[in-house]
Amino acid sequence: MVDRPYTVLSAGMSLDGYLDDGSDERLILSNDADLDRVDAVRASCDAILVGAGTVRKDNPRLLVRDPAHLEASPAHRRTGGPVKVTVTAHGDLDPCTAFFSAGDTDKLVYCASPAVATTRHRLHAVAQVVDGGDPVRMARVSEDLHRRGVRRLLVEGGATVLTQFLTEDLADELHLVVAPFFVGDPRGRRFVDDGPFPFDSGRRARLADVTRLGDVVLLRYALSDRFGAT
Ligand SMILES: NC(=O)c1ccc[n+]([C@@H]2O[C@H](COP(=O)([O-])OP(=O)(O)OC[C@H]3O[C@@H](n4cnc5c(N)ncnc54)[C@H](OP(=O)(O)O)[C@@H]3O)[C@@H](O)[C@H]2O)c1
């Protein structure tokens, strides 16, 4: 069996299943209580992965904010915090975005082989660019992260990346937050794209927990038999 990190997928969506709307602004689905929860989950992980689309659209910092969470974070003690990871086919990433500029933690960019040289040229001062193959497969990314010491991986979207982790059966746990409003904007991204998901009406995922956090609800699903092992 190939080793890969224990993998937690995390996303917030509207009542009609959108991760975002079509505007240039980042859509706020979360609330303070949920942000605090996500901060603690980040602190418990060795690496946080988002797709290049999320880096471009949301410009996330992907840092642990609360000093108490940092104090409790094994990754903080080892490496200053969870490693930031992204994937790209084209390498169209701005080295000035918060993903690269915020925090002293390591940054890894898994890039499709044809774009590795130009991406290394663009990002050499801010990140390690790894040849992810052509195409980049999330299974290979997971295995490589495990070889680098990542034992617990948090995947924070967006839809393209979440879909791949789910359809390739690489996820152990899903944290899905539902915000109490609709988006109704076809320019937005829904939680996942279509694909051959390992769970369907004949094989239902196990709902492990439901937590109310103010006006949002957190659904926690067990997606593998490793659930809860770490
Ligand atoms: N509500 C939430 O919890 C949440 C969380 C995160 C994001 N979002 C939203 O989700 C949206 C972004 O989602 P998205 O699906 O458009 O983008 P995404 O999943 O963040 O990133 C997609 C991009 O990642 C790269 N990529 C993905 N899989 C790849 C592979 N196998 N090989 C090589 N490159 C790969 C490609 O980058 P290149 O184009 O550079 O080649 C691709 O265009 C944004 O609107 C954001 O606001 C919401």
Side-chain angles (χ1 to χ4, degrees):
M1 187 190 142
V2 177
D3 285 329
R4 59 172 180 80
Y6 185 91
T7 301
V8 178
L9 309 187
S10 174
M13 69 175 194
S14 62
L15 284 173
D16 49 346
Y18 280 94
L19 293 181
D20 195 13
D21 57 18
S23 73
D24 292 338
E25 305 298 313
R26 185 175 185 168
L27 179 69
I28 306 298
L29 292 142
S30 208
N31 59 25
D32 287 349
D34 186 50
L35 287 174
D36 186 57
R37 176 196 65 81
V38 171
D39 199 60
V41 177
R42 282 183 182 172
S44 74
C45 291
D46 303 307
I48 306 169
L49 184 151
V50 296
T54 296
V55 174
R56 286 189 290 264
K57 172 82 198 304
D58 293 354
N59 193 19
R61 290 160 53 84
L62 300 183
L63 298 176
V64 178
R65 299 159 207 228
D66 185 330
H69 293 156
L70 264 184
E71 198 60 37
S73 164
H76 178 62
R77 283 194 292 277
R78 268 199 315 276
T79 55
V83 176
K84 299 192 217 179
V85 185
T86 191
V87 289
T88 178
H90 306 99
D92 179 18
L93 289 162
D94 179 349
C96 296
T97 55
F99 177 91
F100 297 110
S101 62
D104 296 327
T105 54
D106 289 344
K107 290 103 190 169
L108 290 175
V109 177
Y110 287 89
C111 181
S113 304
V116 164
T118 51
T119 307
R120 281 203 179 124
H121 183 68
R122 186 175 301 134
L123 300 176
H124 68 93
V126 293
Q128 184 177 350
V129 176
V130 181
D131 189 336
D134 188 20
V136 180
R137 302 300 308 247
M138 293 306 158
R140 184 170 163 172
V141 170
S142 293
E143 289 158 22
D144 190 70
L145 287 171
H146 190 273
R147 273 193 294 277
R148 292 171 190 268
V150 173
R151 295 294 176 267
R152 200 174 150 85
L153 171 66
L154 178 62
V155 179
E156 291 202 33
T160 311
V161 161
L162 292 168
T163 302
Q164 291 170 78
F165 273 88
L166 285 164
T167 55
E168 294 176 31
D169 212 0
L170 297 169
D172 299 292
E173 187 168 336
L174 169 64
H175 298 175
L176 186 60
V177 163
V178 183
F181 60 85
F182 296 83
V183 168
D185 181 347
R187 297 172 304 160
R189 292 290 277 131
R190 288 196 190 259
F191 164 45
V192 285
D193 299 316
D194 295 337
F197 294 101
F199 298 96
D200 55 26
S201 58
R203 184 182 178 227
R204 295 157 77 111
R206 180 161 76 81
L207 179 61
D209 271 317
V210 179
T211 310
R212 179 181 175 154
L213 294 160
D215 67 350
V216 305
V217 63
L218 166 67
L219 306 169
R220 189 165 168 239
Y221 291 95
L223 301 183
S224 82
D225 54 14
R226 299 205 299 183
F227 177 79
T230 165

